[in-house]
Amino acid sequence: MAIKKQYLKSKPICKVTFTVPAEEADKVAVVGDFNNWNPKGSTLKKLKNGTFKGTFELPKENSYEFRYIIDGAYTNDEEADRFQWNEYAGTENAVLEV
């Protein structure tokens, strides 16, 4: 899994690209604070090599808890900036700093 950040000079925005290698998966989405944990509109596109990829514009100077949903199962990105316990979910979430 990989996270690429591209900061825009013209706007207070960071383009964040999420890449998830999941050849066997049918559907991958990224959910988090930035989309109210709603998988609608956050589905990643499956590429020919079996990797799922998607880019989102997020306001910079923020941190966001997030997780991937791979065929219905929640998982964290090992390359996240850090991890944080979420009492509501009863688990650790990945954290993205932009």
Side-chain angles (χ1 to χ4, degrees):
M1 295 181 208
I3 301 168
K4 180 183 169 197
K5 301 173 191 173
Q6 179 185 4
Y7 292 92
L8 302 182
K9 292 180 181 176
S10 60
K11 298 182 202 173
I13 297 239
C14 179
K15 285 188 174 188
V16 180
T17 302
F18 297 95
T19 305
V20 180
E23 292 180 29
E24 304 300 318
D26 293 318
K27 188 175 181 183
V28 176
V30 61
V31 295
D33 294 338
F34 51 86
N35 64 4
N36 292 320
W37 298 89
N38 187 345
K40 288 189 176 180
S42 64
T43 302
L44 305 182
K45 183 178 179 183
K46 188 168 189 175
L47 306 178
K48 289 181 182 177
N49 66 1
T51 300
F52 287 80
K53 195 172 193 176
T55 302
F56 301 86
E57 291 186 356
L58 304 178
K60 63 182 185 179
E61 297 182 14
N62 287 297
S63 63
Y64 303 96
E65 289 186 38
F66 77 98
R67 298 191 88 188
Y68 298 114
I69 303 175
I70 302 174
D71 287 343
Y74 285 85
T75 188
N76 279 329
D77 191 323
E78 310 90 40
E79 296 183 28
D81 295 321
R82 62 186 173 87
F83 298 91
Q84 181 170 308
W85 180 259
N86 183 295
E87 198 64 45
Y88 179 77
T91 189
E92 262 190 348
N93 287 334
V95 177
L96 175 68
E97 305 274 355
V98 293

